[in-house]
Amino acid sequence: VLMDAEKPLRGAWAYLRELGHSRIALVGSRRGVLFRYHQETRCGEDPFFPCGLSMSDGFGVAEALLREPEIPTALICENNSIACGVIQALGERHFPVPEELSVLSLGGGLNCTQVAFPTGITTFSYNKGEIAYLAVDLLIDRIRHCHLSPVIYEPECRMVEGGSCAPAKRR
């Protein structure tokens, strides 16, 4: 079962706009849905920071972000690991989340903020347990009954408020 992250991405984008953010940057892999969405939609006007999918990659993105002439007011990260790295790097440079910059994740990967940081990550994602259950159920059904028909399934997308987003700060 493949998950298309466009629905959580659109939800994240709308949520940040409601909070008054006008400069939203996307952070993720050049092969991921964020990059494709960035290229194909109006958000191509906002910056895209390409990186790997690890916490250290997020750390590097935050350092590059702070060298930008105009820092975005919010980031949408492809996964929680990137977001953790961004939050750590910004905190070490006295640029706290969410006071100075909102960070939102599409929810994939490890959420280490509950242990390591004073704030959690606000995420938009699908229920991964539901997707895993469906994948196993489909696999067993196909093994037993040799079904080959494709299955299209779009689980409900939901937001989990973790405290990493706040209304846009005017700079």
Side-chain angles (χ1 to χ4, degrees), residues 46-69:
D46 289 319
F48 179 85
F49 292 90
C51 70
L53 300 175
S54 72
M55 191 170 166
S56 62
D57 294 318
F59 199 94
V61 163
E63 290 180 333
L65 180 74
L66 291 174
R67 291 190 296 268
E68 288 288 308

Side-chain angles (χ1 to χ4, degrees), residues 2 10 20 22 40 58 72 105 113:
L2 296 175
R10 287 185 186 277
S22 57
E40 295 171 359
S105 171
T113 59

Side-chain angles (χ1 to χ4, degrees), residues 18-80:
E18 286 173 16
L19 289 176
H21 293 280
S22 57
R23 291 182 318 238
I24 302 169
L26 304 177
V27 181
S29 167
R30 284 193 188 274
R31 290 179 282 170
V33 69
L34 288 181
F35 183 69
R36 198 169 53 250
Y37 183 79
H38 181 262
Q39 299 296 90
E40 295 171 359
T41 66
R42 63 180 165 74
C43 79
E45 303 162 0
D46 289 319
F48 179 85
F49 292 90
C51 70
L53 300 175
S54 72
M55 191 170 166
S56 62
D57 294 318
F59 199 94
V61 163
E63 290 180 333
L65 180 74
L66 291 174
R67 291 190 296 268
E68 288 288 308
E70 188 173 19
I71 297 173
T73 60
L75 297 180
I76 298 175
C77 299
E78 190 167 339
N79 66 30
N80 291 344

Side-chain angles (χ1 to χ4, degrees), residues 82-112:
I82 295 169
C84 285
V86 166
I87 291 169
Q88 180 183 1
L90 293 175
E92 288 179 8
R93 279 136 189 95
H94 307 290
F95 202 86
V97 170
E99 292 83 8
E100 293 293 329
L101 180 91
S102 289
V103 177
L104 193 143
S105 171
L106 296 186
L110 176 67
N111 187 351
C112 59

Side-chain angles (χ1 to χ4, degrees), residues 84 111-121 160:
C84 285
N111 187 351
C112 59
T113 59
Q114 294 174 351
V115 176
F117 303 115
T119 186
I121 300 173
V160 176

